[in-house]
């Protein structure tokens, strides 16, 4: 049985599902410091799918790659405690301001440094952006096919992978030649738990950091410079108060309301 | 070229998908404002008739790729077709549906062309832009507007320096409107040569278990929607009864769907569909921003809620404070009287 080289792309994200009142700065920008961070949920499911490949093909090697600040090292430790073999953080001020295009460029350059890779797994999208763009963009840059919205690993061997894809109106099973990139969706199985003994061992280990120079990039494709999209404006959602008419919860008042709507041809 | 190009999706029965017609309607408006043409790309098998369905929506040129290998959507064959047309035609704007297909294809294209892409737009406008950093002024850029950060903010994105400007657009947020039933456009076949040969083998569809949706809340003129406050699946029957009397459909919030009160296809909001009915009756819905994003364009809104402070009341035309399970039977009775 052959062994595969697997990369998992993971992101540490602010927990947008638990946004408190202080999540926004007065100027409308996001107050990231006020938000707890989490392992992006779909990336965790991507890690699980990678681990399932390793279950089926023992000896396969899983490397987790994340891009972010110093504290993103937690993602690597967490991944390794769940069964990943190693990983590193891509961290550099020159990555700041990256949109999805610049992000996918930096990540694809990092993956290239690893030599031959058979499968790249990542979450479909991150909860802080919901764009779902980085996966397909990395696939294009690596010039490999992509399988998006994977929810179930059906089979894998040294040459191909069979996956069920969750689409809006059903499920599609595909076979994809390797190497390939797979994005994993929310309906995929949850990730297994960390091992206590691994956690203890990892607590003492240093997480590896790479900077921009380590991935040999064209510098003008990084960060703000390499990002074609610009945020022009951010608006907080403000409830525009309409003139709301209060209707009593009585048969008479409700009948009158219905009569009004009927007269206005809204109901008929 | 000041042209707007729309990548069109096909239904299982080989008609142009509604979401693509919605985007063509918006695309027509943008193209006219830009003094350019509206172009469309359709890729599939036996699709000549489908291409013609686009003309009433104001499409000037339809680029058609007809090949059995394009019949079911697969990334690389469709990528090959679309990238070819874009490189040839150099449109200024390229639009996709924010569907499972559009969100698979658009980012791969943007990476290949190294241009900006904004996901899940809910509005598009043309307008000027002053770049604070470079000091450059742009007369007319595509303002790509989308909810961000879990729906708590609305961001306007521009791509000043790269072309085309690309965006995916949420289903249901643009109105589908026929421009002119007699509008005539041109069908232009795409010469694929042997370009599909190299990409055909990567992905094989082994099996597909796809059902056409049988619930269509998007097109319903009246929607009676329930939230978690409805309490149970049984209580949802009251909504079905009222919706049936009014000739409408039943919608639900994410919380109600998660609780098992209603089917997935009925979900309205940021992660469901966007609706703009003539009348929206919100029952036991507090009105979280994610839900409001999917219904606040409704012409008339009635809210039934025990909580006078519920955010939904702020956008309602009529507010009824009370328990849904006592108010709804009364409402059904009065409907019976008025509509008979």
């Amino acid at each position: 049985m052959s062994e595969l080289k697997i990369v998992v792309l993971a992101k540490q994200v602010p927990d947008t599902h638990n946004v408190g009142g202080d999540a926004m700065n007065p100027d409308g920008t996001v107050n990231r410091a006020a938000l707890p961070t989490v392992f992006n949920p779909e990336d965790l499911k991507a890690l699980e799918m990678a681990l399932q490949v390793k279950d089926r093909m023992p000896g396969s090697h899983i490397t987790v790659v994340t891009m972010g600040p110093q504290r993103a090292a937690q993602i690597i430790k967490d991944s390794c405690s769940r069964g990943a073999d190693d990983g590193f953080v891509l961290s550099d001020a020159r990555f700041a301001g990256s949109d999805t295009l610049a992000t996918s460029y930096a990540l694809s350059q990092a993956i290239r440094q690893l030599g031959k890779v058979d499968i790249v797994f990542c979450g479909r999208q991150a909860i802080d952006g919901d764009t779902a763009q980085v996966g397909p963009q990395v696939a294009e840059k690596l010039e490999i096919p992509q399988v998006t919205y994977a929810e179930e690993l059906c089979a894998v061997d040294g040459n191909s992978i069979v996956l069920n894809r969750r689409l809006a109106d059903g499920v599609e099973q595909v076979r994809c030649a390797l190497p390939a990139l797979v994005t994993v969706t929310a309906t995929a199985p949850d990730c297994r738990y960390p091992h206590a003994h691994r956690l203890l061992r990892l607590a003492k280990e240093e997480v590896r950091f790479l900077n921009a120079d380590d991935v040999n990039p064209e510098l003008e494709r990084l960060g703000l410079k390499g990002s074609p999209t610009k945020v022009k404006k951010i608006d907080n959602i403000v409830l525009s108060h309409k003139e709301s008419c209060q209707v009593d919860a009585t048969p008479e008042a409700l009948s009158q309301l219905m009569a009004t709507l009927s007269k206005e041809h809204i109901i008929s | 070229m000041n042209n707007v190009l729309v990548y069109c999706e096909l239904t299982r029965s080989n008609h142009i998908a509604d979401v693509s017609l919605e985007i063509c309607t918006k695309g027509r408006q943008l193209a006219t404002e830009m003094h350019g043409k509206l172009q469309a790309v359709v890729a599939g098998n036996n699709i000549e008739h489908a291409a013609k369905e686009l003309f009433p929506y104001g499409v000037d040129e339809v680029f058609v790729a007809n090949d059995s290998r394009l019949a079911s959507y697969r990334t690389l064959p469709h990528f090959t077709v679309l990238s070819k047309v874009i490189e040839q035609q150099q449109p200024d704007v390229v639009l996709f549906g924010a569907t499972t297909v559009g969100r698979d294809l658009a980012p791969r294209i943007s990476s290949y062309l190294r241009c900006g892409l904004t996901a899940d737009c809910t509005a598009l406008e043309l307008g000027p832009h002053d770049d604070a950093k470079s000091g450059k002024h742009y007369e007319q850029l595509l303002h790509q507007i989308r909810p961000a950060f879990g729906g708590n903010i609305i961001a306007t994105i521009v791509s000043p320096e790269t072309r085309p400007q690309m965006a995916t657009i949420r289903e249901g947020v643009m109105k589908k409107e026929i421009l002119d039933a007699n509008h005539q456009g041109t069908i232009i076949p795409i010469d694929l040569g042997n370009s599909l040969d190299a990409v055909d083998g990567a992905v094989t569809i082994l099996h597909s278990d796809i059902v056409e949706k049988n619930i269509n809340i998007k097109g319903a003129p009246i929607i009676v929607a329930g939230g978690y406050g409805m309490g149970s699946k049984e209580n949802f029957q009251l909504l079905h009864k009222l919706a049936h009397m009014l000739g409408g459909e039943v919608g639900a919030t994410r919380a109600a769907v998660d609780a098992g009160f209603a089917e997935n296809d009925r979900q309205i909001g940021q992660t469901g569909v966007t609706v703009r009915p003539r009348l929206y009756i919100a029952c036991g819905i507090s009105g979280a921003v994610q839900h409001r994003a999917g219904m606040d364009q409704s012409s008339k809104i009635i809210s039934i809620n025990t909580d006078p402070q519920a955010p939904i009341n702020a956008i309602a035309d009529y507010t009824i404070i009370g328990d849904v399970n006592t108010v709804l039977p009364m409402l059904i009775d009065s409907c019976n009287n008025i509509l008979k």
Side-chain angles (χ1 to χ4, degrees):
Chain A
M1 179 151 294
S2 53
E3 295 158 3
L4 297 182
K5 185 144 183 187
I6 301 165
V7 170
V8 176
L9 301 177
K11 185 181 186 186
Q12 189 177 49
V13 291
D15 188 358
T16 54
H17 290 174
N18 292 301
V19 173
D22 54 353
M24 294 294 159
N25 294 319
D27 62 356
T29 58
V30 175
N31 180 12
R32 286 186 185 259
L35 293 163
T37 58
V38 291
F39 201 125
N40 181 49
E42 290 183 346
D43 295 346
L44 206 46
K45 292 183 176 223
L47 173 62
E48 172 59 27
M49 205 173 276
L51 291 165
Q52 288 179 9
V53 170
K54 190 172 169 167
D55 291 342
R56 290 173 190 233
M57 303 182 73
S60 294
H61 187 96
I62 299 175
T63 301
V64 178
V65 178
T66 189
M67 186 166 135
Q70 294 285 320
R71 65 178 179 191
Q74 194 51 46
I75 292 288
I76 305 300
K77 289 207 172 185
D78 190 350
S79 301
C80 290
S81 73
R82 294 172 196 259
D85 295 284
D86 57 25
F88 57 86
V89 183
L90 203 52
S91 196
D92 197 312
R94 285 171 287 179
F95 296 137
S98 292
D99 69 359
T100 63
L101 196 75
T103 302
S104 65
Y105 175 67
L107 290 171
S108 65
Q109 283 301 111
I111 294 168
R112 282 182 191 281
Q113 310 310 309
L114 298 170
K116 173 187 165 288
V117 169
D118 299 290
I119 312 177
V120 179
F121 283 106
C122 59
R124 172 190 54 145
Q125 63 191 41
I127 56 172
D128 60 343
D130 291 329
T131 71
Q133 287 173 189
V134 168
Q137 289 176 332
V138 168
E140 191 280 327
K141 292 195 161 60
L142 297 174
E143 298 177 75
I144 58 177
Q146 68 200 45
V147 177
T148 45
Y149 325 117
E151 73 169 1
E152 190 184 352
L153 172 70
C154 305
V156 62
D157 60 30
N159 302 313
S160 70
I161 186 165
V162 178
L163 295 154
N164 281 342
R165 302 177 70 213
R166 170 57 60 176
L167 306 179
D169 45 5
V171 176
E172 179 182 272
Q173 188 172 75
V174 299
R175 178 191 301 281
C176 184
L178 299 181
L181 179 140
V182 176
T183 80
V184 178
T185 197
T187 51
D190 286 332
C191 193
R192 59 198 68 181
Y193 291 111
H195 294 280
H197 66 275
R198 277 172 166 262
L199 270 175
L200 282 172
R201 199 187 66 218
L202 285 159
K204 286 176 240 133
E205 280 183 24
E206 290 287 319
V207 169
R208 194 153 63 103
F209 278 80
L210 296 189
N211 66 24
D213 299 321
D214 294 325
V215 301
N216 194 25
E218 298 168 37
L219 289 174
E220 71 277 11
R221 294 178 68 181
L222 297 181
L224 214 51
K225 253 189 296 177
S227 300
T229 60
K230 311 285 173 203
V231 178
K232 180 176 169 58
K233 192 163 69 118
I234 295 281
D235 295 309
N236 282 310
I237 293 182
V238 193
L239 282 187
S240 53
H241 233 286
K242 270 200 217 172
E243 207 50 50
S244 182
C245 172
Q246 186 128 352
V247 179
D248 290 336
T250 61
E252 298 74 34
L254 294 175
S255 292
Q256 188 159 15
L257 170 60
M258 286 292 128
T260 308
L261 293 176
S262 171
K263 215 163 64 197
E264 291 173 1
H265 302 287
I266 291 166
I267 61 171
S268 54
Chain B
M1 299 291 267
N2 293 342
N3 297 338
V4 176
L5 186 139
V6 178
Y7 169 81
C8 293
E9 292 180 42
L10 294 163
T11 62
R12 295 259 134 194
S13 45
N14 254 354
H15 293 288
I16 304 291
D18 268 355
V19 60
S20 302
L21 297 176
E22 292 161 15
I23 295 167
C24 282
T25 305
K26 183 68 194 182
R28 177 68 265 170
Q29 203 187 321
L30 296 173
T32 303
E33 238 180 288
M34 292 161 60
H35 306 289
K37 285 187 286 196
L38 176 62
Q39 304 175 308
V41 172
V42 187
N45 195 28
N46 299 324
I47 50 167
E48 292 83 355
H49 64 282
K52 290 190 190 117
E53 293 170 10
L54 287 165
F55 294 138
Y57 295 87
V59 177
D60 300 308
E61 293 174 345
V62 185
F63 296 87
V64 175
N66 224 335
D67 191 295
S68 60
R69 290 168 293 183
L70 297 167
S72 296
Y73 172 81
R74 288 179 301 156
T75 313
L76 292 179
H78 279 244
F79 169 84
T80 303
V81 170
L82 183 58
S83 55
K84 198 172 179 133
V85 175
I86 294 175
E87 283 179 320
Q88 232 170 50
Q89 297 296 319
Q90 309 272 323
D92 205 48
V93 171
V94 179
L95 305 175
F96 305 76
T99 58
T100 47
V101 168
R103 298 176 99 221
D104 178 87
L105 181 59
R108 192 156 183 127
I109 293 276
S110 83
S111 174
Y112 175 71
L113 299 171
R114 296 192 196 173
C115 65
L117 168 65
T118 305
D120 288 340
C121 292
T122 51
L124 297 173
E125 289 164 9
L126 292 168
H129 174 67
D130 288 294
D131 199 87
K133 226 167 167 190
S134 65
K136 268 175 92 170
H137 174 77
Y138 302 84
E139 205 47 57
Q140 193 179 54
L141 285 185
L142 186 67
H143 292 189
Q144 305 155 53
I145 298 158
R146 75 178 299 249
F149 218 67
N152 295 286
I153 53 177
I154 298 283
T156 302
I157 312 286
V158 290
S159 306
E161 286 293 325
T162 55
R163 291 296 178 274
Q165 307 168 80
M166 304 215 311
T168 65
I169 293 111
R170 296 265 314 273
E171 194 162 0
V173 299
M174 303 294 173
K175 241 191 227 161
K176 171 178 107 174
E177 245 166 354
I178 287 185
L179 173 81
D180 171 5
N182 299 316
H183 182 82
Q184 281 305 315
T186 322
I187 290 187
I188 303 165
I190 303 168
D191 179 15
L192 292 166
N194 57 3
S195 59
L196 293 183
D197 298 354
V199 297
D200 181 48
V203 169
T204 316
I205 299 174
L206 301 175
H207 177 73
S208 119
D209 188 6
I210 308 268
V211 276
E212 295 256 3
K213 278 190 189 164
N214 47 10
I215 303 169
N216 181 16
I217 56 169
K218 212 174 74 182
I222 293 175
I223 291 177
V224 184
Y228 191 70
M230 285 301 296
S232 73
K233 192 175 176 176
E234 289 64 46
N235 293 346
F236 249 69
Q237 284 312 314
L238 288 170
L239 305 181
H240 284 278
K241 195 166 172 189
L242 182 60
H244 182 73
M245 288 172 65
L246 295 171
E249 265 293 356
V250 172
T253 63
R254 181 181 189 159
V257 170
D258 285 349
F261 299 169
E263 302 95 314
N264 245 320
D265 290 350
R266 299 195 186 277
Q267 189 172 317
I268 292 165
Q270 205 184 356
T271 45
V273 289
T274 301
V275 295
R276 49 173 88 246
R278 199 160 69 217
L279 175 64
Y280 192 92
I281 307 180
C283 309
I285 293 175
S286 63
V289 58
Q290 289 85 347
H291 181 71
R292 293 200 311 267
M295 49 67 72
D296 61 2
Q297 302 281 306
S298 307
S299 312
K300 277 265 188 285
I301 299 169
I302 300 176
S303 155
I304 307 172
N305 208 298
T306 48
D307 177 11
Q309 305 305 324
I312 189 87
N313 296 340
I315 59 165
D317 299 275
Y318 298 98
T319 306
I320 304 165
I321 305 301
D323 181 57
V324 279
N325 291 306
T326 48
V327 174
L328 276 171
M330 288 195 269
L331 204 57
I332 289 168
D333 274 347
S334 47
C335 266
N336 241 335
N337 294 329
I338 304 275
L339 298 177
K340 71 177 168 209

